[in-house]
Amino acid sequence: MITLQNVSKSFSRFEAIKSVTLTIEKGEIHGLVGASGSGKSTLLRLMNLLELPDTGDVEVNGQTLTRLSAKELRLVRKSIGMIFQHFHLVANKTVFDNVAVALQLAGSRKSDIRLRVLECLQFVGLEKMAEKYPAQLSGGQKQRVAIARALANNPQVLLCDEPTSSLDPNTTAEILTVLNNINQQLGVTIVFVSHEMDVVKKICSRVSVMSEGEIYDTVTIEPLGIQAIDNRPEYFVQQLKRDGEE
Ligand SMILES: Nc1ncnc2c1ncn2[C@@H]1O[C@H](COP(=O)(O)OP(=O)(O)O)[C@@H](O)[C@H]1O
Ligand SMILES: [Mg+2]
């Protein structure tokens, strides 16, 4: 689904990505982990050409992005959704309009846009929040709006840059469940950047470890799945006592 072939990227003299070759298979949830500064975000942004590679080719769904015209690239980008740690919603637009933006740019009919926006909001469980503004939402709800926006154009790939890194454990589980559903029910290929190993182990089936701009290794794992979080006070007390004993 995504192939990077000897892709390099420097910022001034600094080589952030050093001739990386990596294939992401159709239908997988592929993790990208590594220390801060190892090049995870840059590699992700190379996958939709938000960063232009200095050398090498980027291929998505059979098309070599690095050889497309600006117009062709705009079209292919619609099949690649992206979400971020800090959501990137437009503060003075409603939830509905934040999702609609993706479709208005594409010039769809108003009635079609409305149907599609509501469908996407329903998928992330926010259909009742359509008229709210971002400031009225929790972090998890904001991320679900961003996910709905990323889904609006029916992407084949979803690029996720630390989407749960500013969320608490309960909300993280909620977002991971939504991402899993997108992968399982809609067949969307997901690339998931994170520095949180426990999160990656829950949903990824392959994980690439980055170090200093290179892929150190790629490991195939059995995803652990997303367990319900235990919120009972007894559980908290039990955990505290157990930690105390060790
Ligand atoms: N736009 C940029 N200009 C200059 N340096 C950058 C830029 N983007 C990233 N870098 C540098 O490239 C390296 C990799 O960054 P990044 O991909 O953000 O790492 P990660 O996401 O793993 O923390 C870092 O050293 C960072 O400072
Ligand atoms: Mg990063």
Side-chain angles (χ1 to χ4, degrees), residues 144-159:
R144 282 192 276 152
V145 175
I147 292 172
R149 177 179 61 188
L151 286 182
N153 281 307
N154 273 312
Q156 309 217 25
V157 175
L158 183 60
L159 305 177

Side-chain angles (χ1 to χ4, degrees), residues 89-108:
L89 299 178
V90 183
N92 63 1
K93 282 188 190 289
T94 62
V95 164
F96 182 97
D97 287 334
N98 264 282
V99 179
V101 158
L103 298 163
Q104 284 154 352
L105 293 175
S108 314

Side-chain angles (χ1 to χ4, degrees), residues 29-32 40-41 44-45 47-48 80-85 143 147 150 157-165 175-176 178-180 182 188-195 203:
I29 303 187
H30 194 110
L32 272 184
K40 305 180 297 293
S41 295
L44 195 72
R45 291 163 61 81
M47 292 180 189
N48 60 1
I80 312 172
M82 193 164 189
I83 58 172
F84 308 88
Q85 178 176 0
Q143 192 58 290
I147 292 172
V157 175
L158 183 60
L159 305 177
C160 308
D161 196 351
E162 307 261 6
T164 61
S165 295
I175 296 301
L176 293 181
V178 174
L179 293 176
N180 234 353
I182 288 171
V188 174
T189 303
I190 295 182
V191 188
F192 189 94
V193 167
S194 182
H195 66 276
I203 63 165

Side-chain angles (χ1 to χ4, degrees), residues 54-101:
D54 301 326
T55 67
D57 279 325
V58 179
E59 193 186 300
V60 177
N61 205 11
Q63 284 188 289
T64 307
L65 303 196
T66 30
R67 290 193 205 131
L68 299 180
S69 68
K71 194 175 162 192
E72 289 168 325
L73 182 60
R74 267 201 300 279
L75 215 65
V76 175
R77 276 223 183 100
K78 281 208 269 168
S79 69
I80 312 172
M82 193 164 189
I83 58 172
F84 308 88
Q85 178 176 0
H86 298 296
F87 325 123
H88 295 197
L89 299 178
V90 183
N92 63 1
K93 282 188 190 289
T94 62
V95 164
F96 182 97
D97 287 334
N98 264 282
V99 179
V101 158

Side-chain angles (χ1 to χ4, degrees), residues 11 14 16-17 34-43 51 161-162 193:
F11 298 106
F14 177 74
I17 300 294
S36 177
S38 59
K40 305 180 297 293
S41 295
T42 305
L43 197 68
E51 300 287 359
D161 196 351
E162 307 261 6
V193 167

Side-chain angles (χ1 to χ4, degrees), residues 1 7 29 50 59 77 82-83 115 121-122 129 151:
M1 176 55 78
V7 169
I29 303 187
L50 277 182
E59 193 186 300
R77 276 223 183 100
M82 193 164 189
I83 58 172
L115 273 179
L121 286 177
Q122 191 161 18
M129 307 295 247
L151 286 182

